[in-house]
């Protein structure tokens, strides 16, 4: 009857009987706001989507919350600038949009159970495929045990006059009883061919598009940022040389650091944690390696490789630190240079933080990460245990 249908609809739509009988009492209301003032608000960060929406003629926007069987969300409605506001805010249109939000919410709530069902079907198909594969392998082995048997072969006392318990199979037949043994050249050729094809496929690339170039304004910002920071570091190096002759900054790694901080601002290798810890590890290894009696080229190659390995293992990979390891492993540097390099990195980080954060489209750093010291060695192992 009519009452039962309304009760069912109320339970399914998560609304009350009062809302169904009298929609105007629904506590949910739609509040429309102008998009252009929000997009041009100087106190808000630049939002490209809002700017494009304004250019496309979107004048009004409203959000409607939904909750259906534990799934919560927000449906955003947009309207053109020339839309009749009176019709847009009419009771009939508002109830329609609220009902549409409930329908969208029910569809969103359906996604979770649907994915669970699809996963169960996938696991079931995989189980069937595995059983069929094992059956085919068993059949192939049984069939292979008789591939090389000759017609008329058998056990016991046969025509050849062999006694009870003696095998009547020839050496070739004995191999056939355990399955066909392929030649050693076959698998090796196939293995190396597959490896070669895999290498060629990887060499061709993944057809990913290269990153887009910076705009002219962003490129100019990178120029001034790197110029001012390097100028500061060079004057700092001169001041150290005047105060302590024979000591100065090693400039090569800082050129690479400027590229990271002003052109790859969000990259993990550009962050302060990687810059300071990576530099400390690499320079320490290089200075220690310089005191060994190894041949000069071996020192440089070994120190740089050890630095790269340690940085990768500790999660603080920093390309300029690898360059520093190659330079310092050549000798002629003391442990005081380690402190000078670290102080230079700290100054570069402070400068990059100030200059990059003055640009509304940039943020540096994206993380500091110095509080994760105990996880440097054990973090990846914990992840593996959880997985």
């Amino acid at each position: 009857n009519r009452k039962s249908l309304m009760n069912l609809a109320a339970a399914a739509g998560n609304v009350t009987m009062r809302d169904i009988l009298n929609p105007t009492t629904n506590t949910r209301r739609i509040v429309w706001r102008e998009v252009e003032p929000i997009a041009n608000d100087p106190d808000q960060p630049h939002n490209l989507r809002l700017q494009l929406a304004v250019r496309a003629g979107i004048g009004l926007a409203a959000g409607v919350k939904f909750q259906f069987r534990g799934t919560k969300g927000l449906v955003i409605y947009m309207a053109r600038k020339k839309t009749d506001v009176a019709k847009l805010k009419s009771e009939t249109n508002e109830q329609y949009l609220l009902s549409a939000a409930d329908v969208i919410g029910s569809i969103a709530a359906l996604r979770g159970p649907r994915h669970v069902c699809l996963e169960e079907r996938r696991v079931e198909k995989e189980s069937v495929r595995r059983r069929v594969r094992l059956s085919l392998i068993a059949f192939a082995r049984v069939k292979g045990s008789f591939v090389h048997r000759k017609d008329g072969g058998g056990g016991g006392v046969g025509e050849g006059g062999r006694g009870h318990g003696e095998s009547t199979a020839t050496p070739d037949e004995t191999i056939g009883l355990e399955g066909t043994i392929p030649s050693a050249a076959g698998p090796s050729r196939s293995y190396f061919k597959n490896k070669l094809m895999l290498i060629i496929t990887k060499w061709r690339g993944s057809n990913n598009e290269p990153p887009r170039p910076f705009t002219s304004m962003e490129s100019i910002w990178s120029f001034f940022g790197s110029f001012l920071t390097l100028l500061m570091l060079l004057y700092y190096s001169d001041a150290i040389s005047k105060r302590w002759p024979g000591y100065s900054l090693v400039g090569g790694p800082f050129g690479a650091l400027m590229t990271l901080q002003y052109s790859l601002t969000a990259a993990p290798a550009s962050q302060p944690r990687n810059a300071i810890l990576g530099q400390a590890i690499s320079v320490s290894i290089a200075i220690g390696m310089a005191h060994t009696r190894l041949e000069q080229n071996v020192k440089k190659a070994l120190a740089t490789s050890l630095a790269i390995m340690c940085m990768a293992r500790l999660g603080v990979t920093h390309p300029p630190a690898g360059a520093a390891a190659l330079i310092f492993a050549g000798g002629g540097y003391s442990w005081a240079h380690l402190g000078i390099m670290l102080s230079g990195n700290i100054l570069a980080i402070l400068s990059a933080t100030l200059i990059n954060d003055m640009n509304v489209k940039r943020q540096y750093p994206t993380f500091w990460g110095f509080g994760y010291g105990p996880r440097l060695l054990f973090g990846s192992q914990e992840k593996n245990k959880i997985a």
Side-chain angles (χ1 to χ4, degrees):
N1 54 22
R2 181 171 178 270
K3 186 175 181 181
S4 300
L5 291 175
M6 287 191 296
N7 288 332
L8 180 61
N14 196 20
V15 296
T16 64
M17 288 295 300
R18 186 181 179 186
D19 294 329
I20 295 175
L21 295 175
N22 189 11
T24 58
T25 61
N26 196 331
T27 57
R28 292 191 305 170
R29 307 297 299 180
I30 299 180
V31 179
W32 294 92
R33 295 191 60 183
E34 295 184 5
V35 177
E36 188 171 359
I38 300 176
N40 298 329
D41 187 355
D43 294 331
Q44 298 291 334
H46 177 78
N47 192 312
L48 180 59
R49 290 185 178 181
L50 283 179
Q51 298 293 337
L52 294 177
V54 172
R55 294 180 186 177
I58 303 298
L60 297 172
V64 179
K65 295 181 179 180
F66 65 82
Q67 181 177 358
F68 189 88
R69 294 185 179 274
T71 300
K72 299 180 181 180
L74 181 70
V75 179
I76 298 177
Y77 294 110
M78 295 185 180
R80 294 175 295 178
K81 293 181 180 179
K82 300 180 180 180
T83 302
D84 188 345
V85 179
K87 292 182 178 179
L88 189 65
K89 296 182 179 181
S90 66
E91 187 67 30
T92 304
N93 187 65
E94 185 169 323
Q95 293 302 322
Y96 172 75
L97 295 179
L98 290 173
S99 301
D102 291 335
V103 173
I104 295 173
S106 65
I107 296 173
L110 182 64
R111 293 175 58 188
R114 179 176 179 271
H115 290 165
V116 173
C117 291
L118 291 177
E119 180 64 19
E120 290 179 354
R121 300 295 183 273
R122 188 193 67 79
V123 172
E124 183 179 354
K125 290 181 180 179
E126 181 68 19
S127 177
V128 173
R129 189 190 67 81
R130 188 181 297 108
R131 290 198 301 268
V132 171
R133 179 173 175 272
L134 293 176
S135 299
L136 291 175
I137 292 175
F139 176 76
R141 289 179 177 176
V142 173
K143 182 179 179 181
S145 64
F146 298 98
V147 168
H148 298 287
R149 297 178 70 88
K150 297 181 180 179
D151 294 335
V157 180
E159 295 179 359
R162 297 181 183 178
H164 178 72
E166 296 181 358
S167 174
T168 61
T170 64
D172 290 340
E173 295 169 355
T174 304
I175 294 175
L177 291 174
E178 298 181 356
T180 305
I181 300 179
S183 62
S188 60
R189 290 177 182 175
S190 176
Y191 173 79
F192 287 113
K193 181 180 178 181
N194 293 337
K195 271 291 185 183
L196 179 61
M197 294 302 298
L198 179 61
I199 293 173
I200 294 175
T201 302
K202 290 183 177 180
W203 173 75
R204 291 175 180 173
S206 302
N207 296 325
N208 292 335
E209 294 184 0
R212 294 183 179 180
F214 277 14
T215 62
S216 299
M217 184 58 65
E218 289 296 310
S219 302
I220 294 173
W221 198 279
S222 297
F223 164 76
F224 279 109
S226 58
F227 172 75
L228 293 175
T229 305
L230 279 176
L231 192 63
M232 176 190 67
L233 291 175
L234 291 174
Y235 279 122
Y236 174 66
S237 179
D238 292 343
I240 293 175
S241 298
K242 291 180 181 179
R243 180 69 176 82
W244 297 285
Y247 293 95
S248 64
L249 283 175
V250 179
F254 289 97
L257 180 61
M258 295 303 101
T259 305
L260 288 176
Q261 289 182 332
Y262 295 101
S263 294
L264 296 171
T265 310
S270 309
Q271 305 311 308
R273 172 172 171 260
N274 293 52
I276 295 178
L277 296 181
Q279 196 74 257
I281 292 170
S282 299
V283 175
S284 299
I285 292 175
I287 294 177
M289 187 64 64
H291 290 84
T292 63
R293 297 182 179 181
L294 297 174
E295 196 266 331
Q296 189 74 355
N297 291 334
V298 175
K299 286 182 183 180
K300 293 181 178 181
L302 184 59
T304 307
S305 301
L306 285 174
I308 293 172
M309 179 190 70
C310 292
M311 287 190 293
R313 179 63 185 89
L314 298 176
V316 291
T317 298
H318 188 60
L326 183 60
I327 296 173
F328 278 79
Y333 299 96
S334 65
W335 291 104
H337 286 90
L338 173 60
I340 296 174
M341 293 296 290
L342 292 179
S343 64
N345 273 269
I346 293 173
L347 290 176
I349 290 169
L350 296 176
S351 176
T353 302
L354 176 63
I355 295 174
N356 281 315
D357 290 346
M358 290 174 62
N359 190 328
V360 296
K361 297 182 179 180
R362 297 189 181 196
Q363 179 182 354
Y364 182 85
T366 57
F367 64 88
W368 289 94
F370 290 104
Y372 295 92
R375 296 173 57 182
L376 290 178
L377 286 172
F378 307 107
S380 59
Q381 297 177 2
E382 292 176 358
K383 291 180 180 178
N384 293 334
K385 291 180 181 178
I386 295 174

